[in-house]
Amino acid sequence: MELGPGEPAAGPWRVERLDDFARSLAAAADPVGRPRIVAVDGRGGSGKTVLADRLAREFAPAAVVHSDDVAWAHSRFGWDDLMIAGILEPLHAGEAVSYRPPAWIRDGREGSIDVDPGALTVIIEGVGVSRRSLAPYLDVAIWVQSDYVEAKRRGVRRDMADLGRDPEEADRLWDEWEAEEAPFLEADQPWLRAGVIVGTASWAAPHDPATEVSVARG
């Protein structure tokens, strides 16, 4: 097992059915007049996006907002003000979300980040979505704990498949990302604010990823 800088090992681990896990999150937060806001945080390559999509199906009607879209062509980690103004403040006001970040307008990216007004749960997903500045806007924070080496291997493989990068380029760009990610997370320590930790590494409790999650609570 190898964790990232400053991150303590979670545990003890237990396996929970995904639907039971989603129900426990819903019971922990049921705001009135606005959707429930759930943050799925973790290192790059940890499995955040997969978990967020699986939870969205359990929470339906639900929406997923990716920090990568908010941060697109802007900054790797300096995007919290955009997330607050464009996504979280409107959600807290019970308003519909249709947001075009400044870089989208500047660089001509089409479309917008939209949240269906009928969504009862909004999941924000990405590295740093439960950082200190965003914590007051969240109802539930999840930290996805992964093995440092496994996460890089998954992330590089994903970038090669999805973005068409060759192995050398994918590895180089991952190292550039990690050079900013590691000190950011070590300073912010989002795992300390997590109400629950989900383990995706091979050393977490064995489980069926299609129907179960490996969880450490408290």
Side-chain angles (χ1 to χ4, degrees):
M1 176 181 73
E2 182 178 346
L3 296 175
E7 184 180 355
W13 297 100
R14 56 176 288 179
V15 175
E16 298 184 14
R17 287 179 51 89
L18 182 62
D19 54 353
D20 289 339
F21 177 65
R23 278 194 290 271
S24 72
L25 299 180
D30 189 18
V32 176
R34 65 168 177 84
R36 176 187 303 108
I37 301 174
V38 177
V40 178
D41 203 340
R43 298 184 187 278
S46 61
K48 301 179 301 300
T49 303
V50 172
L51 177 62
D53 289 343
R54 291 168 63 202
L55 286 175
R57 290 192 290 271
E58 295 293 331
F59 278 126
V64 178
V65 174
H66 305 284
S67 65
D68 283 350
D69 288 330
V70 176
W72 184 84
H74 178 72
S75 170
R76 285 193 174 113
F77 297 102
W79 44 260
D80 48 331
D81 56 332
L82 304 184
M83 180 70 80
I84 290 170
I87 307 295
L88 296 175
E89 286 183 341
L91 290 176
H92 271 261
E95 300 171 355
V97 171
S98 184
Y99 180 53
R100 283 178 54 78
W104 289 38
I105 298 170
R106 182 195 68 215
D107 293 347
R109 176 172 171 174
E110 296 182 355
S112 57
I113 301 172
D114 298 313
V115 175
D116 188 321
L120 299 180
T121 300
V122 177
I123 301 168
I124 61 171
E125 174 275 325
V127 182
V129 293
S130 62
R131 66 180 70 191
R132 291 187 188 92
S133 59
L134 302 187
Y137 298 91
L138 308 177
D139 297 305
V140 178
I142 299 170
W143 174 256
V144 180
Q145 184 159 97
S146 57
D147 183 276
Y148 206 52
V149 176
E150 286 181 348
K152 177 177 180 177
R153 187 182 304 118
R154 284 198 299 261
V156 168
R157 187 168 58 241
R158 176 200 63 202
D159 292 349
M160 290 169 58
D162 295 350
L163 304 176
R165 294 173 177 165
D166 61 49
E168 183 178 349
E169 179 188 30
D171 196 66
R172 175 180 59 81
L173 291 174
W174 186 272
D175 288 344
E176 291 177 3
W177 164 273
E178 194 174 86
E180 291 189 39
E181 179 192 78
F184 167 77
L185 292 176
E186 187 174 14
D188 189 82
Q189 298 186 321
W191 44 81
L192 297 181
R193 290 182 293 279
V196 61
I197 296 177
V198 171
T200 61
S202 58
W203 40 261
H207 62 284
D208 178 357
T211 59
E212 299 172 323
V213 286
S214 181
V215 175
R217 294 186 178 273

